Amino acid sequence: QVQLVESGGGLVQAGGSLRLSCAASGIPFNTYHMAWFRQVPGKEREFVAGIQWTAGGNTYYADSVKGRFTISRDNAKRMVYLQLNSLKPEDTAVYSCAAGRVALSTTPIGYNYWGQGTQVTVSS
């Protein structure tokens, strides 16, 4: 059974930081590209950041988070992380991790497995 379980969300003031974690099980983790998406009610799921399967793999970011967010992975621990710095109220959303086999995909269709998500709320 494939599971992706996110943690680390919460309430933070604008300018603050959070670190999101995603624990993966049930898949050969080191052969899957991983990504973070976010979604707010009434809007489509939005790509945030992705990282290729190789250790030290290529990373790619949405323009809106470039320079503020950092994605990383630890294949030995089967974990992917998203460091969120300089948070803004518009970053408020449910953040979900995803696993897929399509390299450099920034659309949900490129990912096969999804976590339930963790809420990030940024107050002004």
Side-chain angles (χ1 to χ4, degrees):
Q1 181 183 1
V2 178
Q3 279 195 313
L4 299 178
V5 181
E6 301 94 339
S7 60
L11 173 64
V12 64
Q13 288 188 329
S17 298
L18 283 173
R19 189 194 194 208
L20 307 183
S21 299
C22 173
S25 60
I27 56 172
F29 181 76
N30 61 355
T31 67
Y32 274 78
H33 308 298
M34 300 296 295
W36 288 92
F37 285 76
R38 64 187 182 188
Q39 190 169 25
V40 297
K43 291 191 176 181
E44 291 187 353
R45 192 171 275 172
E46 176 191 19
F47 170 78
V48 176
I51 185 166
Q52 291 188 287
W53 64 268
T54 55
N58 290 338
T59 58
Y60 43 108
Y61 298 90
D63 287 343
S64 59
V65 307
K66 205 170 291 183
R68 299 188 298 122
F69 293 5
T70 303
I71 188 171
S72 61
R73 65 189 295 162
D74 184 330
N75 286 345
K77 294 182 178 179
R78 306 171 64 85
M79 298 288 294
V80 62
Y81 306 99
L82 186 67
Q83 178 68 40
L84 293 71
N85 295 332
S86 302
L87 281 161
K88 304 175 182 179
E90 52 264 42
D91 294 319
T92 295
V94 173
Y95 285 70
S96 301
C97 67
R101 290 287 179 84
V102 178
L104 303 178
S105 177
T106 60
T107 61
I109 198 170
Y111 296 88
N112 306 100
Y113 303 107
W114 294 83
Q116 292 295 312
T118 185
Q119 177 71 47
V120 171
T121 303
V122 184
S123 63
S124 56

